[in-house]
Amino acid sequence: MKTASLPIPPQPFAPLWQNAICLILTFHKLGSKRRLQTKEVLSIDTDETLIRVTKSILNCKEYTAISKLYHKIRSQLKPLVLPSSMKSGVYLIPISFTQELNDILTKGRQDLAPLIDYFCQVYPARVAADQERLKDAYDATDYPDEDSVKTAFWIEAHYITWDLPVTMASISEAMLKTETENAQRKLEEMLAEINLSLREAMRQLVRHLRNRLTPRADGTQKGFKASTVNNLLDFLGRFDAKNLGKDTELTDVVSQAKSLLNGVSPKELRTNQPLAEMIQVGMNDVEKRLDALLVSKPSRQYRFDEAA
């Protein structure tokens, strides 16, 4: 006897997941903070439940090197991530960036391995140094064995999507209709948030460049870093992939900025005064257009940690 297949409900989020992926990225490491018993360190009359006392352990360059690598990987991901109000560690990334994303994570894991090995080599010496420095605050149980330390550091990545479950179609037609409408509304809010965040991000980059190109009151030129130009160029280059909300108004402003900066390098802006003045005037116009686009903002932003 054949089992009847469940009807497939509409999938409101399908347009989003056809163009983007959702990455949950976790950087695991051995904790470097430990709580102390408050009564053991406080000599004042107070309610101990209102006081939290902690100590730092393994405060060494080998541990710091791992933390710095994690920070570097997060920084490398920033240009790939779509603006959103997802909780920390959850990233919305256009599908066209997945190879670049994979390269960053692969390289990060490769760089992490020798750092872990080196930290494990010096671990006994660092524990001994902590015992000497912490004195009475030292607790041997704060330090796991070396095998546990080696497995405490890793980079974990999961890819997920959201949509209505197939079973909902068989439970209640009214519930399915309500949840479909809710999902569609949330999708629209997410795309509106992406549009708003892209507008704000571009205005910040344009404003910074325009400000650095605007002479001081005495007529002298300001200095600026190459990143002032390169960060804006990177934003413009990645815009089409990030524009999941199909913001046609911002697309037009992006086209104007691209035309202004086409073939322009930071070095040219420093050495070619007429060119710098032309770009400054053009960026002033671009900034005004962005200001106009940001006059009206969505009244609410959807967060993924809210009930779906």
Side-chain angles (χ1 to χ4, degrees):
M1 180 178 177
K2 272 189 165 183
T3 303
S5 59
L6 293 173
I8 299 176
Q11 302 298 309
F13 289 106
L16 179 62
W17 304 131
Q18 288 168 1
N19 298 289
I21 59 171
C22 189
L23 168 69
I24 298 180
L25 188 61
T26 307
F27 294 91
H28 296 274
K29 63 180 180 179
L30 185 67
S32 61
K33 298 290 184 183
R34 297 291 186 272
R35 187 169 184 176
L36 291 170
Q37 291 296 321
T38 309
K39 62 183 178 182
E40 295 178 1
V41 295
L42 281 182
S43 59
I44 59 175
D45 183 18
T46 185
D47 183 346
E48 295 176 6
T49 63
L50 302 179
I51 306 296
R52 183 181 179 90
V53 182
T54 61
K55 61 181 176 181
S56 296
I57 66 171
L58 301 171
N59 185 13
C60 59
K61 63 181 182 180
E62 297 83 12
Y63 184 94
T64 300
I66 296 175
S67 298
K68 285 183 177 179
L69 175 62
Y70 286 174
H71 178 74
K72 177 183 176 182
I73 295 171
R74 290 190 185 95
S75 298
Q76 291 174 330
L77 291 177
K78 282 184 179 179
L80 312 183
V81 177
L82 284 164
S84 74
S85 56
M86 293 183 183
K87 63 182 181 180
S88 177
V90 183
Y91 303 90
L92 187 63
I93 300 176
I95 286 177
S96 58
F97 296 161
T98 51
Q99 185 57 57
E100 190 173 352
L101 166 65
N102 184 65
D103 291 344
I104 290 172
L105 295 180
T106 299
K107 180 66 163 54
R109 291 184 175 114
Q110 291 172 347
D111 292 343
L112 177 61
L115 295 180
I116 295 173
D117 289 340
Y118 188 40
F119 178 70
C120 289
Q121 289 174 21
V122 302
Y123 181 67
R126 299 300 177 241
V127 174
D130 277 2
Q131 183 174 11
E132 183 178 349
R133 295 178 64 192
L134 288 169
K135 298 181 174 60
D136 290 343
Y138 173 79
D139 184 347
T141 62
D142 290 334
Y143 302 86
D145 60 76
E146 292 179 40
D147 288 338
S148 298
V149 170
K150 191 175 183 65
T151 58
F153 300 90
W154 83 96
I155 300 170
E156 182 180 14
H158 292 293
Y159 300 95
I160 59 174
T161 60
W162 289 273
D163 240 316
L164 302 180
V166 172
T167 51
M168 184 170 286
S170 66
I171 296 173
S172 167
E173 184 177 343
M175 181 185 295
L176 174 62
K177 181 177 183 296
T178 299
E179 290 307 308
T180 300
E181 292 172 350
N182 287 341
Q184 184 62 44
R185 173 179 54 80
K186 289 177 179 179
L187 173 62
E188 291 170 358
E189 290 174 349
M190 289 169 62
L191 295 178
E193 179 188 356
I194 289 173
N195 290 350
L196 172 61
S197 299
L198 286 172
R199 291 179 179 192
E200 290 179 333
M202 183 175 177
R203 180 172 65 173
Q204 182 177 357
L205 292 167
V206 167
R207 177 175 292 171
H208 184 53
L209 176 57
R210 190 266 308 155
N211 178 268
R212 300 315 301 171
L213 293 176
T214 302
R216 298 184 181 89
D218 62 3
T220 58
Q221 297 299 313
K222 301 172 184 173
F224 64 88
K225 298 179 180 179
S227 59
T228 302
V229 180
N230 292 335
N231 288 344
L232 177 55
L233 289 173
D234 184 69
F235 175 91
L236 298 176
R238 296 183 185 275
F239 173 75
D240 288 342
K242 289 186 172 184
N243 188 24
L244 299 192
K246 306 301 180 186
D247 189 339
T248 55
E249 293 178 306
L250 184 57
T251 299
D252 188 43
V253 181
V254 166
S255 296
Q256 180 184 355
K258 283 182 176 179
S259 297
L260 280 169
L261 294 175
N262 185 33
V264 175
S265 68
K267 182 178 179 180
E268 286 179 296
L269 287 179
R270 291 193 186 100
T271 58
N272 188 332
Q273 188 56 36
L275 175 63
E277 291 175 357
M278 183 193 75
I279 298 298
Q280 186 270 327
V281 171
M283 285 298 148
N284 188 57
D285 181 54
V286 169
E287 184 180 351
K288 287 180 179 178
R289 294 184 65 186
L290 289 167
D291 287 341
L293 291 181
L294 285 162
V295 168
S296 178
K297 297 183 180 180
S299 59
R300 181 182 182 276
Q301 295 184 348
Y302 171 63
R303 294 183 179 272
F304 275 89
D305 52 357
E306 293 176 354

